[in-house]
Amino acid sequence: MSLALLLLVAFLMAPLAISIATHTPAAVPWYQASLESSGLAPDPAKVHEPVVQVYAARAYGWRGAIAVHTWIIVKRAGAPAFTRYDVVGWGGAPVVRENYAGVDALWYGGRPELLLERRGEEVEALIDDIESAVVSYPFVQSYRSWPGPNSNTFLAHIGRSVPALRLDLPANAIGKDYLPLTAPLARAPSGTGLQVSLLGILGVLIGTEEGVEIDMLGLSFGIDFARPALRLPGLGRVGLGKAH
C-alpha cells in the first residue's frame, strides 16, 4: 500500500516538477506581453467553408508552468471573419468574452497550439450547437483559476454540449474537470465517455478520446490507449500526437 501510494505521488509530482523547472515566464509585464497573431487560423477571405478551431496556450506568468488557457473560434460559410469565444477572469462578470483578442493570437506571449479543427458543410450545424453552448454556460458570473470554473471549464462545457466535436482537452487544462457538487456525474469533455468529479478536486474520467484519467487536487494524469500517450500534469500530452 505504501509503495503504491509513493508511486502515485511520484507519477503526479515528477512531471509537474519538470514542467515548473523548464518553464520560462514572460520577461515583460502582462500589459506589454504580445497578443499578435500566430498565423495558425486560415484566412477567411480564402476559406469559404465553415470552420471550427480550438486552441490552447500556456497561461501568463507562473501559472503557465502548470496550466494552459483554451478558447474556441468559429466561422460560418462565407462569413468575412471568425468569432472567438473564451472565458477571462479579470475585468469581472460576465466572464464569457467574444473576440477578447485576435482569433489565433499569442496568449500574453504564449504561442497557441491547435487542439482541434473541423471543416466542411456539416460544421455549420456544429456552430449552431456551439453558440447555444456558449449561451448556456452556467458559470458566467464566477471565475476561479483553481480548481475552476475557468476558461477550461468553459471549453469542457462546450465539448460536453456538442459531443460531435470530440474535443479532447489536455491534462494541463486545469479546470476542465470542474463539476458542481449538485451534478458530479457528466459526459467526458470529448463526449465519448463519462466522468465523476467533486469540484474538479477529486475524480476519474474514462473516454474513447481521453483514455483513462484520474484527477487529484485539480491535477490530471492518465493514459490514452487509442493513440498511446501519457496524460501528465504540467506537461500535458507526452507520446504520439493526436490528429486535429
Side-chain angles (χ1 to χ4, degrees):
M1 180 68 74
S2 297
L3 178 60
L5 184 59
L6 285 173
L7 289 174
L8 182 62
V9 171
F11 193 50
L12 185 68
M13 298 307 296
L16 193 62
I18 293 171
S19 183
I20 292 172
T22 56
H23 176 65
T24 303
V28 296
W30 67 268
Y31 54 85
Q32 293 180 357
S34 177
L35 291 172
E36 68 181 11
S37 172
S38 64
L40 291 174
D43 183 350
K46 298 178 181 178
V47 176
H48 301 290
E49 62 184 343
V51 180
V52 173
Q53 291 186 326
V54 176
Y55 292 99
R58 288 282 175 175
Y60 176 78
W62 64 268
R63 293 179 180 85
I66 60 174
V68 295
H69 171 82
T70 54
W71 67 94
I72 188 167
I73 67 172
V74 302
K75 186 192 77 69
R76 293 187 179 275
F82 281 88
T83 301
R84 168 177 170 154
Y85 299 105
D86 49 354
V87 157
V88 179
W90 49 82
V95 296
V96 176
R97 308 296 169 85
E98 182 175 324
N99 295 328
Y100 174 83
V103 294
D104 62 355
L106 276 63
W107 183 248
Y108 293 95
R111 182 170 180 80
E113 172 190 0
L114 180 63
L115 297 182
L116 174 148
E117 180 178 73
R118 300 287 182 265
R119 298 191 186 200
E121 292 181 4
E122 68 281 0
V123 172
E124 198 75 29
L126 287 182
I127 294 175
D128 289 337
D129 294 338
I130 289 167
E131 292 182 340
S132 294
V134 169
V135 173
S136 68
Y137 179 61
F139 308 113
V140 71
Q141 297 296 324
S142 59
Y143 181 94
R144 285 190 299 268
S145 295
W146 179 93
N150 58 27
S151 64
N152 302 317
T153 313
F154 175 62
L155 264 293
H157 167 75
I158 292 175
R160 294 187 189 101
S161 301
V162 192
L165 277 177
R166 300 179 70 92
L167 173 59
D168 180 11
L169 294 170
N172 54 357
I174 292 177
K176 71 180 179 64
D177 299 310
Y178 178 88
L179 293 171
L181 289 175
T182 54
L185 177 65
R187 282 175 174 163
S190 69
T192 65
L194 294 173
Q195 71 177 130
V196 179
S197 179
L198 300 176
L199 298 175
I201 296 175
L202 182 65
V204 62
L205 180 155
I206 300 175
T208 304
E209 286 291 328
E210 293 96 342
V212 177
E213 267 193 10
I214 296 173
D215 179 58
M216 295 179 63
L217 300 178
L219 303 175
S220 297
F221 59 97
I223 301 175
D224 181 350
F225 295 100
R227 192 166 178 82
L230 295 176
R231 303 171 65 89
L232 301 173
L235 297 176
R237 184 182 182 88
V238 178
L240 294 179
K242 288 187 75 76
H244 297 147

PDB file of all heavy atoms in Angstrom, residues 186-220:
ATOM      1  N   ALA A 186     -21.040  13.455 -15.277  1.00  0.00           N
ATOM      2  CA  ALA A 186     -21.285  14.115 -16.563  1.00  0.00           C
ATOM      3  C   ALA A 186     -20.576  13.361 -17.676  1.00  0.00           C
ATOM      4  O   ALA A 186     -19.772  12.453 -17.431  1.00  0.00           O
ATOM      5  CB  ALA A 186     -20.786  15.562 -16.521  1.00  0.00           C
ATOM      6  N   ARG A 187     -20.888  13.765 -18.904  1.00  0.00           N
ATOM      7  CA  ARG A 187     -20.092  13.291 -20.030  1.00  0.00           C
ATOM      8  C   ARG A 187     -18.651  13.743 -19.865  1.00  0.00           C
ATOM      9  O   ARG A 187     -18.382  14.786 -19.282  1.00  0.00           O
ATOM     10  CB  ARG A 187     -20.611  13.887 -21.333  1.00  0.00           C
ATOM     11  CG  ARG A 187     -21.858  13.279 -21.919  1.00  0.00           C
ATOM     12  CD  ARG A 187     -22.276  14.094 -23.134  1.00  0.00           C
ATOM     13  NE  ARG A 187     -23.394  13.501 -23.839  1.00  0.00           N
ATOM     14  CZ  ARG A 187     -24.147  14.144 -24.706  1.00  0.00           C
ATOM     15  NH1 ARG A 187     -23.895  15.425 -24.971  1.00  0.00           N
ATOM     16  NH2 ARG A 187     -25.149  13.540 -25.306  1.00  0.00           N
ATOM     17  N   ALA A 188     -17.726  12.988 -20.447  1.00  0.00           N
ATOM     18  CA  ALA A 188     -16.366  13.493 -20.599  1.00  0.00           C
ATOM     19  C   ALA A 188     -16.406  14.678 -21.557  1.00  0.00           C
ATOM     20  O   ALA A 188     -17.297  14.770 -22.403  1.00  0.00           O
ATOM     21  CB  ALA A 188     -15.457  12.399 -21.150  1.00  0.00           C
ATOM     22  N   PRO A 189     -15.463  15.632 -21.450  1.00  0.00           N
ATOM     23  CA  PRO A 189     -15.472  16.777 -22.365  1.00  0.00           C
ATOM     24  C   PRO A 189     -15.476  16.389 -23.849  1.00  0.00           C
ATOM     25  O   PRO A 189     -15.994  17.143 -24.677  1.00  0.00           O
ATOM     26  CB  PRO A 189     -14.192  17.532 -21.981  1.00  0.00           C
ATOM     27  CG  PRO A 189     -14.020  17.229 -20.533  1.00  0.00           C
ATOM     28  CD  PRO A 189     -14.464  15.795 -20.387  1.00  0.00           C
ATOM     29  N   SER A 190     -14.934  15.216 -24.173  1.00  0.00           N
ATOM     30  CA  SER A 190     -14.945  14.770 -25.567  1.00  0.00           C
ATOM     31  C   SER A 190     -16.299  14.231 -25.993  1.00  0.00           C
ATOM     32  O   SER A 190     -16.531  14.011 -27.191  1.00  0.00           O
ATOM     33  CB  SER A 190     -13.898  13.670 -25.773  1.00  0.00           C
ATOM     34  OG  SER A 190     -14.300  12.486 -25.093  1.00  0.00           O
ATOM     35  N   GLY A 191     -17.189  13.983 -25.035  1.00  0.00           N
ATOM     36  CA  GLY A 191     -18.468  13.379 -25.353  1.00  0.00           C
ATOM     37  C   GLY A 191     -18.389  11.894 -25.630  1.00  0.00           C
ATOM     38  O   GLY A 191     -19.386  11.275 -26.004  1.00  0.00           O
ATOM     39  N   THR A 192     -17.204  11.287 -25.429  1.00  0.00           N
ATOM     40  CA  THR A 192     -17.015   9.868 -25.760  1.00  0.00           C
ATOM     41  C   THR A 192     -16.914   8.991 -24.528  1.00  0.00           C
ATOM     42  O   THR A 192     -16.494   7.836 -24.632  1.00  0.00           O
ATOM     43  CB  THR A 192     -15.747   9.671 -26.615  1.00  0.00           C
ATOM     44  OG1 THR A 192     -14.585  10.018 -25.832  1.00  0.00           O
ATOM     45  CG2 THR A 192     -15.792  10.523 -27.872  1.00  0.00           C
ATOM     46  N   GLY A 193     -17.285   9.505 -23.370  1.00  0.00           N
ATOM     47  CA  GLY A 193     -17.199   8.722 -22.150  1.00  0.00           C
ATOM     48  C   GLY A 193     -17.886   9.441 -21.009  1.00  0.00           C
ATOM     49  O   GLY A 193     -18.693  10.350 -21.217  1.00  0.00           O
ATOM     50  N   LEU A 194     -17.535   9.050 -19.788  1.00  0.00           N
ATOM     51  CA  LEU A 194     -18.136   9.613 -18.589  1.00  0.00           C
ATOM     52  C   LEU A 194     -17.069  10.028 -17.599  1.00  0.00           C
ATOM     53  O   LEU A 194     -15.940   9.513 -17.628  1.00  0.00           O
ATOM     54  CB  LEU A 194     -19.067   8.594 -17.921  1.00  0.00           C
ATOM     55  CG  LEU A 194     -20.332   8.184 -18.678  1.00  0.00           C
ATOM     56  CD1 LEU A 194     -21.023   7.049 -17.937  1.00  0.00           C
ATOM     57  CD2 LEU A 194     -21.278   9.362 -18.848  1.00  0.00           C
ATOM     58  N   GLN A 195     -17.417  10.949 -16.717  1.00  0.00           N
ATOM     59  CA  GLN A 195     -16.527  11.301 -15.628  1.00  0.00           C
ATOM     60  C   GLN A 195     -17.331  11.604 -14.379  1.00  0.00           C
ATOM     61  O   GLN A 195     -18.484  12.030 -14.443  1.00  0.00           O
ATOM     62  CB  GLN A 195     -15.629  12.496 -15.979  1.00  0.00           C
ATOM     63  CG  GLN A 195     -16.300  13.835 -16.064  1.00  0.00           C
ATOM     64  CD  GLN A 195     -15.309  14.952 -16.350  1.00  0.00           C
ATOM     65  OE1 GLN A 195     -15.537  15.744 -17.244  1.00  0.00           O
ATOM     66  NE2 GLN A 195     -14.223  15.021 -15.613  1.00  0.00           N
ATOM     67  N   VAL A 196     -16.688  11.356 -13.243  1.00  0.00           N
ATOM     68  CA  VAL A 196     -17.208  11.735 -11.936  1.00  0.00           C
ATOM     69  C   VAL A 196     -16.191  12.677 -11.323  1.00  0.00           C
ATOM     70  O   VAL A 196     -14.987  12.396 -11.329  1.00  0.00           O
ATOM     71  CB  VAL A 196     -17.398  10.510 -11.020  1.00  0.00           C
ATOM     72  CG1 VAL A 196     -17.921  10.943  -9.654  1.00  0.00           C
ATOM     73  CG2 VAL A 196     -18.358   9.516 -11.655  1.00  0.00           C
ATOM     74  N   SER A 197     -16.645  13.823 -10.834  1.00  0.00           N
ATOM     75  CA  SER A 197     -15.711  14.809 -10.292  1.00  0.00           C
ATOM     76  C   SER A 197     -16.366  15.586  -9.160  1.00  0.00           C
ATOM     77  O   SER A 197     -17.524  15.997  -9.264  1.00  0.00           O
ATOM     78  CB  SER A 197     -15.261  15.778 -11.387  1.00  0.00           C
ATOM     79  OG  SER A 197     -14.376  16.751 -10.872  1.00  0.00           O
ATOM     80  N   LEU A 198     -15.610  15.786  -8.095  1.00  0.00           N
ATOM     81  CA  LEU A 198     -16.038  16.616  -6.975  1.00  0.00           C
ATOM     82  C   LEU A 198     -15.324  17.948  -7.071  1.00  0.00           C
ATOM     83  O   LEU A 198     -14.166  18.081  -6.658  1.00  0.00           O
ATOM     84  CB  LEU A 198     -15.723  15.923  -5.640  1.00  0.00           C
ATOM     85  CG  LEU A 198     -16.396  14.561  -5.423  1.00  0.00           C
ATOM     86  CD1 LEU A 198     -15.930  13.949  -4.109  1.00  0.00           C
ATOM     87  CD2 LEU A 198     -17.911  14.692  -5.451  1.00  0.00           C
ATOM     88  N   LEU A 199     -15.981  18.910  -7.702  1.00  0.00           N
ATOM     89  CA  LEU A 199     -15.452  20.271  -7.847  1.00  0.00           C
ATOM     90  C   LEU A 199     -14.102  20.315  -8.560  1.00  0.00           C
ATOM     91  O   LEU A 199     -13.337  21.265  -8.401  1.00  0.00           O
ATOM     92  CB  LEU A 199     -15.327  20.945  -6.473  1.00  0.00           C
ATOM     93  CG  LEU A 199     -16.635  21.133  -5.703  1.00  0.00           C
ATOM     94  CD1 LEU A 199     -16.344  21.699  -4.322  1.00  0.00           C
ATOM     95  CD2 LEU A 199     -17.588  22.061  -6.452  1.00  0.00           C
ATOM     96  N   GLY A 200     -13.785  19.297  -9.356  1.00  0.00           N
ATOM     97  CA  GLY A 200     -12.506  19.270 -10.049  1.00  0.00           C
ATOM     98  C   GLY A 200     -11.328  18.987  -9.137  1.00  0.00           C
ATOM     99  O   GLY A 200     -10.173  19.105  -9.558  1.00  0.00           O
ATOM    100  N   ILE A 201     -11.600  18.572  -7.906  1.00  0.00           N
ATOM    101  CA  ILE A 201     -10.536  18.309  -6.934  1.00  0.00           C
ATOM    102  C   ILE A 201     -10.234  16.822  -6.839  1.00  0.00           C
ATOM    103  O   ILE A 201      -9.097  16.421  -6.605  1.00  0.00           O
ATOM    104  CB  ILE A 201     -10.924  18.873  -5.553  1.00  0.00           C
ATOM    105  CG1 ILE A 201     -11.044  20.396  -5.635  1.00  0.00           C
ATOM    106  CG2 ILE A 201      -9.904  18.485  -4.487  1.00  0.00           C
ATOM    107  CD1 ILE A 201     -11.539  21.043  -4.371  1.00  0.00           C
ATOM    108  N   LEU A 202     -11.240  16.014  -7.052  1.00  0.00           N
ATOM    109  CA  LEU A 202     -11.068  14.565  -6.994  1.00  0.00           C
ATOM    110  C   LEU A 202     -12.040  13.933  -7.967  1.00  0.00           C
ATOM    111  O   LEU A 202     -13.246  14.229  -7.934  1.00  0.00           O
ATOM    112  CB  LEU A 202     -11.330  14.041  -5.578  1.00  0.00           C
ATOM    113  CG  LEU A 202     -11.145  12.534  -5.367  1.00  0.00           C
ATOM    114  CD1 LEU A 202      -9.686  12.149  -5.577  1.00  0.00           C
ATOM    115  CD2 LEU A 202     -11.617  12.129  -3.978  1.00  0.00           C
ATOM    116  N   GLY A 203     -11.526  13.074  -8.851  1.00  0.00           N
ATOM    117  CA  GLY A 203     -12.424  12.455  -9.805  1.00  0.00           C
ATOM    118  C   GLY A 203     -11.727  11.469 -10.718  1.00  0.00           C
ATOM    119  O   GLY A 203     -10.508  11.281 -10.659  1.00  0.00           O
ATOM    120  N   VAL A 204     -12.515  10.867 -11.594  1.00  0.00           N
ATOM    121  CA  VAL A 204     -11.999   9.923 -12.579  1.00  0.00           C
ATOM    122  C   VAL A 204     -12.774  10.101 -13.873  1.00  0.00           C
ATOM    123  O   VAL A 204     -13.965  10.445 -13.857  1.00  0.00           O
ATOM    124  CB  VAL A 204     -12.097   8.466 -12.068  1.00  0.00           C
ATOM    125  CG1 VAL A 204     -13.556   8.076 -11.830  1.00  0.00           C
ATOM    126  CG2 VAL A 204     -11.441   7.497 -13.029  1.00  0.00           C
ATOM    127  N   LEU A 205     -12.094   9.897 -14.988  1.00  0.00           N
ATOM    128  CA  LEU A 205     -12.674  10.063 -16.323  1.00  0.00           C
ATOM    129  C   LEU A 205     -12.275   8.874 -17.185  1.00  0.00           C
ATOM    130  O   LEU A 205     -11.110   8.461 -17.178  1.00  0.00           O
ATOM    131  CB  LEU A 205     -12.189  11.371 -16.945  1.00  0.00           C
ATOM    132  CG  LEU A 205     -12.665  11.753 -18.350  1.00  0.00           C
ATOM    133  CD1 LEU A 205     -12.591  13.270 -18.526  1.00  0.00           C
ATOM    134  CD2 LEU A 205     -11.823  11.089 -19.445  1.00  0.00           C
ATOM    135  N   ILE A 206     -13.240   8.350 -17.934  1.00  0.00           N
ATOM    136  CA  ILE A 206     -12.974   7.275 -18.894  1.00  0.00           C
ATOM    137  C   ILE A 206     -13.665   7.642 -20.194  1.00  0.00           C
ATOM    138  O   ILE A 206     -14.880   7.880 -20.219  1.00  0.00           O
ATOM    139  CB  ILE A 206     -13.488   5.915 -18.400  1.00  0.00           C
ATOM    140  CG1 ILE A 206     -12.819   5.533 -17.074  1.00  0.00           C
ATOM    141  CG2 ILE A 206     -13.225   4.831 -19.444  1.00  0.00           C
ATOM    142  CD1 ILE A 206     -13.357   4.253 -16.464  1.00  0.00           C
ATOM    143  N   GLY A 207     -12.895   7.717 -21.288  1.00  0.00           N
ATOM    144  CA  GLY A 207     -13.463   8.083 -22.580  1.00  0.00           C
ATOM    145  C   GLY A 207     -12.646   7.519 -23.720  1.00  0.00           C
ATOM    146  O   GLY A 207     -11.448   7.270 -23.573  1.00  0.00           O
ATOM    147  N   THR A 208     -13.297   7.346 -24.855  1.00  0.00           N
ATOM    148  CA  THR A 208     -12.591   6.840 -26.028  1.00  0.00           C
ATOM    149  C   THR A 208     -11.490   7.799 -26.462  1.00  0.00           C
ATOM    150  O   THR A 208     -10.388   7.373 -26.842  1.00  0.00           O
ATOM    151  CB  THR A 208     -13.582   6.633 -27.183  1.00  0.00           C
ATOM    152  OG1 THR A 208     -14.624   5.756 -26.750  1.00  0.00           O
ATOM    153  CG2 THR A 208     -12.886   6.032 -28.392  1.00  0.00           C
ATOM    154  N   GLU A 209     -11.765   9.102 -26.428  1.00  0.00           N
ATOM    155  CA  GLU A 209     -10.770  10.088 -26.848  1.00  0.00           C
ATOM    156  C   GLU A 209      -9.710  10.310 -25.777  1.00  0.00           C
ATOM    157  O   GLU A 209      -8.514  10.378 -26.074  1.00  0.00           O
ATOM    158  CB  GLU A 209     -11.457  11.426 -27.165  1.00  0.00           C
ATOM    159  CG  GLU A 209     -12.230  11.442 -28.465  1.00  0.00           C
ATOM    160  CD  GLU A 209     -11.340  11.377 -29.684  1.00  0.00           C
ATOM    161  OE1 GLU A 209     -10.207  11.907 -29.641  1.00  0.00           O
ATOM    162  OE2 GLU A 209     -11.775  10.799 -30.693  1.00  0.00           O
ATOM    163  N   GLU A 210     -10.122  10.467 -24.523  1.00  0.00           N
ATOM    164  CA  GLU A 210      -9.166  10.799 -23.454  1.00  0.00           C
ATOM    165  C   GLU A 210      -8.411   9.591 -22.920  1.00  0.00           C
ATOM    166  O   GLU A 210      -7.299   9.734 -22.409  1.00  0.00           O
ATOM    167  CB  GLU A 210      -9.896  11.473 -22.276  1.00  0.00           C
ATOM    168  CG  GLU A 210     -10.458  12.845 -22.597  1.00  0.00           C
ATOM    169  CD  GLU A 210     -11.915  12.800 -22.992  1.00  0.00           C
ATOM    170  OE1 GLU A 210     -12.414  11.706 -23.359  1.00  0.00           O
ATOM    171  OE2 GLU A 210     -12.566  13.855 -22.944  1.00  0.00           O
ATOM    172  N   GLY A 211      -9.024   8.415 -22.979  1.00  0.00           N
ATOM    173  CA  GLY A 211      -8.453   7.255 -22.306  1.00  0.00           C
ATOM    174  C   GLY A 211      -8.952   7.219 -20.872  1.00  0.00           C
ATOM    175  O   GLY A 211     -10.136   7.388 -20.603  1.00  0.00           O
ATOM    176  N   VAL A 212      -8.026   7.013 -19.947  1.00  0.00           N
ATOM    177  CA  VAL A 212      -8.368   6.990 -18.519  1.00  0.00           C
ATOM    178  C   VAL A 212      -7.579   8.090 -17.823  1.00  0.00           C
ATOM    179  O   VAL A 212      -6.364   8.205 -18.005  1.00  0.00           O
ATOM    180  CB  VAL A 212      -8.029   5.629 -17.882  1.00  0.00           C
ATOM    181  CG1 VAL A 212      -8.325   5.655 -16.381  1.00  0.00           C
ATOM    182  CG2 VAL A 212      -8.810   4.513 -18.554  1.00  0.00           C
ATOM    183  N   GLU A 213      -8.278   8.908 -17.040  1.00  0.00           N
ATOM    184  CA  GLU A 213      -7.633   9.983 -16.288  1.00  0.00           C
ATOM    185  C   GLU A 213      -8.112   9.959 -14.844  1.00  0.00           C
ATOM    186  O   GLU A 213      -9.290   9.724 -14.573  1.00  0.00           O
ATOM    187  CB  GLU A 213      -7.979  11.352 -16.872  1.00  0.00           C
ATOM    188  CG  GLU A 213      -7.006  11.870 -17.887  1.00  0.00           C
ATOM    189  CD  GLU A 213      -7.234  13.353 -18.186  1.00  0.00           C
ATOM    190  OE1 GLU A 213      -8.020  14.018 -17.484  1.00  0.00           O
ATOM    191  OE2 GLU A 213      -6.617  13.824 -19.142  1.00  0.00           O
ATOM    192  N   ILE A 214      -7.197  10.238 -13.943  1.00  0.00           N
ATOM    193  CA  ILE A 214      -7.528  10.445 -12.533  1.00  0.00           C
ATOM    194  C   ILE A 214      -7.201  11.889 -12.195  1.00  0.00           C
ATOM    195  O   ILE A 214      -6.158  12.411 -12.608  1.00  0.00           O
ATOM    196  CB  ILE A 214      -6.738   9.485 -11.630  1.00  0.00           C
ATOM    197  CG1 ILE A 214      -7.146   8.035 -11.924  1.00  0.00           C
ATOM    198  CG2 ILE A 214      -6.973   9.807 -10.156  1.00  0.00           C
ATOM    199  CD1 ILE A 214      -6.311   7.007 -11.203  1.00  0.00           C
ATOM    200  N   ASP A 215      -8.082  12.535 -11.469  1.00  0.00           N
ATOM    201  CA  ASP A 215      -7.904  13.937 -11.085  1.00  0.00           C
ATOM    202  C   ASP A 215      -7.750  14.027  -9.577  1.00  0.00           C
ATOM    203  O   ASP A 215      -8.601  13.567  -8.829  1.00  0.00           O
ATOM    204  CB  ASP A 215      -9.113  14.760 -11.550  1.00  0.00           C
ATOM    205  CG  ASP A 215      -8.999  16.222 -11.157  1.00  0.00           C
ATOM    206  OD1 ASP A 215      -8.021  16.857 -11.558  1.00  0.00           O
ATOM    207  OD2 ASP A 215      -9.886  16.715 -10.440  1.00  0.00           O
ATOM    208  N   MET A 216      -6.640  14.621  -9.142  1.00  0.00           N
ATOM    209  CA  MET A 216      -6.397  14.834  -7.721  1.00  0.00           C
ATOM    210  C   MET A 216      -5.939  16.264  -7.514  1.00  0.00           C
ATOM    211  O   MET A 216      -4.960  16.701  -8.130  1.00  0.00           O
ATOM    212  CB  MET A 216      -5.337  13.866  -7.185  1.00  0.00           C
ATOM    213  CG  MET A 216      -5.749  12.398  -7.221  1.00  0.00           C
ATOM    214  SD  MET A 216      -4.442  11.305  -6.603  1.00  0.00           S
ATOM    215  CE  MET A 216      -4.322  11.869  -4.898  1.00  0.00           C
ATOM    216  N   LEU A 217      -6.668  16.988  -6.697  1.00  0.00           N
ATOM    217  CA  LEU A 217      -6.343  18.381  -6.394  1.00  0.00           C
ATOM    218  C   LEU A 217      -6.266  19.234  -7.661  1.00  0.00           C
ATOM    219  O   LEU A 217      -5.481  20.183  -7.743  1.00  0.00           O
ATOM    220  CB  LEU A 217      -5.027  18.465  -5.613  1.00  0.00           C
ATOM    221  CG  LEU A 217      -5.018  17.736  -4.270  1.00  0.00           C
ATOM    222  CD1 LEU A 217      -3.638  17.855  -3.625  1.00  0.00           C
ATOM    223  CD2 LEU A 217      -6.096  18.287  -3.346  1.00  0.00           C
ATOM    224  N   GLY A 218      -7.055  18.883  -8.652  1.00  0.00           N
ATOM    225  CA  GLY A 218      -7.074  19.635  -9.900  1.00  0.00           C
ATOM    226  C   GLY A 218      -6.006  19.225 -10.893  1.00  0.00           C
ATOM    227  O   GLY A 218      -5.958  19.766 -11.999  1.00  0.00           O
ATOM    228  N   LEU A 219      -5.159  18.287 -10.529  1.00  0.00           N
ATOM    229  CA  LEU A 219      -4.087  17.809 -11.402  1.00  0.00           C
ATOM    230  C   LEU A 219      -4.500  16.480 -12.014  1.00  0.00           C
ATOM    231  O   LEU A 219      -4.842  15.537 -11.300  1.00  0.00           O
ATOM    232  CB  LEU A 219      -2.778  17.650 -10.625  1.00  0.00           C
ATOM    233  CG  LEU A 219      -2.270  18.906  -9.916  1.00  0.00           C
ATOM    234  CD1 LEU A 219      -1.035  18.574  -9.080  1.00  0.00           C
ATOM    235  CD2 LEU A 219      -1.955  20.001 -10.922  1.00  0.00           C
ATOM    236  N   SER A 220      -4.465  16.395 -13.337  1.00  0.00           N
ATOM    237  CA  SER A 220      -4.927  15.200 -14.036  1.00  0.00           C
ATOM    238  C   SER A 220      -3.751  14.394 -14.559  1.00  0.00           C
ATOM    239  O   SER A 220      -2.767  14.945 -15.056  1.00  0.00           O
ATOM    240  CB  SER A 220      -5.827  15.585 -15.218  1.00  0.00           C
ATOM    241  OG  SER A 220      -6.988  16.233 -14.774  1.00  0.00           O
TER     242      SER A 220
END
